[in-house]
Amino acid sequence: MKLYFLSIFLFLISFKTYSASISMIGEKGDPNKIDRIITIKMYDNYYEPESIKVKKGETIKFIVQNLGEMVHEYNIATKEMHIAHQPEMQKLVEHGILLVDKLDMVKMKKMSKKDHSLSHSHSNSVIVEPKKTSEMIWKFSKNIKLEMACNIPGHYQTGMVGKIIIE
Ligand SMILES: [Cu+2]
């Protein structure tokens, strides 16, 4: 019983920390206030373009195309947040939710009822299957050092990371 409360407590702490860090990097953009559209192409394992420039306060609609053979993520965060996020992605792989070329949404929904960390619904990230396109709207309201990165095991380490320059 003690362990049960401890795990809830730890969950609440990590949830709080995550929300706090999300507001530190900006916010989910309003679809009615888009300033600019940027197309990001994802390959195995790199982005094109390799880096982007945005203005502080700008709301960007990202059109994220996966032109590779593997599933990839487009995630906007600080380097520290990406590193912290990687075990969560590893967990999706271990549970058979995230496969090399497929994201099993049915399994994800089913398993996330028991373990919320498997739902992977973050407003600063999209996971895209090969040959598919997804969208993400982000407002760069804070002046902070950010990276766009893929946190699927091994991808960040093999170069799937790029700079976001906020001017
Ligand atoms: Cu990737």
Side-chain angles (χ1 to χ4, degrees), residues 42-47 66 70-74 89 128 149-156 158 160:
M42 304 198 288
Y43 296 92
D44 312 321
N45 289 334
Y46 61 95
Y47 295 112
N66 187 351
M70 297 188 268
V71 178
H72 292 295
E73 181 192 34
Y74 187 72
M89 293 293 257
V128 192
C150 173
N151 293 302
I152 291 175
H155 293 205
Y156 184 97
T158 48
M160 203 153 186

Side-chain angles (χ1 to χ4, degrees), residues 118-141:
L118 296 171
S119 72
H120 204 276
S121 57
H122 304 309
S123 51
N124 60 325
S125 153
V126 284
I127 298 177
V128 192
E129 289 182 326
K131 313 299 171 231
K132 290 197 179 153
T133 298
S134 197
E135 288 178 7
M136 184 171 113
I137 302 166
W138 192 255
K139 185 176 180 187
F140 293 89
S141 45

Side-chain angles (χ1 to χ4, degrees), residues 4 39 52 89 114 131 148:
Y4 177 71
T39 301
I52 57 164
M89 293 293 257
K114 284 184 211 153
K131 313 299 171 231
M148 49 187 196

